[in-house]
Amino acid sequence: MAIRNLRYDGDEILSKVSREITEIDDKIKELANDMMETMHKYDGVGLAAVQVGVLKRLIVIDLYEEGTQYILINPVIIKEKGEQICDEGCLSYPNQFGKVKRPKEVVVEALDLNGKKVKIKGKDLLAQALSHEIDHLNGKVFVEKVEPGTLETINPNDRKEN
Ligand code: NI
């Protein structure tokens, strides 16, 4: 396992559409494990492969509670319900936060690392994370969806003092 380099604000790869994964080989498994490790290193709750420079439809999520770790291949939202306004950030936009409207509940279909079809029902933070990461696979980033006037830059040094 290895930490991968993150891609940041201004990198044009973040606006590209990722490709379907047709074969879950050792390279994909290694990528998924590296993404999980990279996300943990930077205290993220989600990461899409494009954020480590790989245009493949793979996301990882960890809400840091039992049973909330997911590795999802070719995830698709098949159902959305309700709305929530989320305080949101992104590992590719360090120190930037804003309010984003997300579905309150989603149902996602995907494959797991064994190629088995899985269906996940997520609400609240899980719905937000699934929606945010699947947006990345379609070349969309949260700053495009931020409610006008709510995007803030927060200096991490200021945060520690609070
Ligand atoms: Ni993100």
Side-chain angles (χ1 to χ4, degrees):
M1 298 227 291
I3 303 289
R4 304 249 180 155
N5 290 329
L6 287 175
R7 300 300 188 98
Y8 294 107
D9 185 10
D11 191 322
E12 64 177 26
I13 200 171
L14 293 174
S15 62
K16 292 190 174 162
V17 176
S18 295
R19 290 181 290 272
E20 294 265 318
I21 292 171
T22 51
E23 193 193 345
I24 304 167
D25 55 15
D26 287 349
K27 228 177 141 184
I28 292 292
K29 289 177 185 169
E30 189 184 355
L31 172 64
N33 289 325
D34 286 355
M35 283 169 59
M36 193 63 88
E37 197 181 349
T38 304
M39 175 180 72
H40 288 154
K41 178 181 161 73
Y42 295 106
D43 298 321
V45 295
L47 191 68
V50 60
Q51 292 180 275
V52 295
V54 181
L55 283 170
K56 293 197 166 146
R57 301 186 82 83
L58 168 59
I59 64 172
V60 297
I61 287 174
D62 191 349
L63 304 185
Y64 301 95
E65 281 172 28
E66 208 184 319
T68 62
Q69 221 178 38
Y70 301 94
I71 293 173
L72 300 175
I73 292 163
N74 302 335
V76 179
I77 294 178
I78 58 164
K79 215 166 159 187
E80 291 188 2
K81 203 174 142 192
E83 269 178 17
Q84 56 175 332
I85 302 291
C86 306
D87 282 312
E88 201 161 305
C90 176
L91 291 181
S92 294
Y93 291 77
N95 309 327
Q96 291 196 63
F97 299 89
K99 295 205 182 298
V100 180
K101 198 184 283 176
R102 295 284 178 193
K104 180 84 174 153
E105 294 175 42
V106 296
V107 179
V108 168
E109 271 184 1
L111 298 177
D112 68 13
L113 268 191
N114 299 313
K116 195 179 142 227
K117 212 169 182 183
V118 291
K119 196 188 261 191
I120 292 153
K121 287 181 187 174
K123 59 177 189 173
D124 302 323
L125 180 57
L126 182 55
Q128 176 192 358
L130 286 163
S131 172
H132 177 117
E133 300 315 326
I134 291 170
D135 272 356
H136 273 300
L137 302 184
N138 296 318
K140 294 196 179 75
V141 289
F142 89 105
V143 289
E144 296 168 36
K145 290 195 167 181
V146 149
E147 302 280 311
T150 67
L151 192 67
E152 287 184 288
T153 303
I154 296 173
N155 185 317
N157 296 323
D158 292 345
R159 277 189 127 188
K160 275 177 204 150
E161 286 163 18
N162 290 336

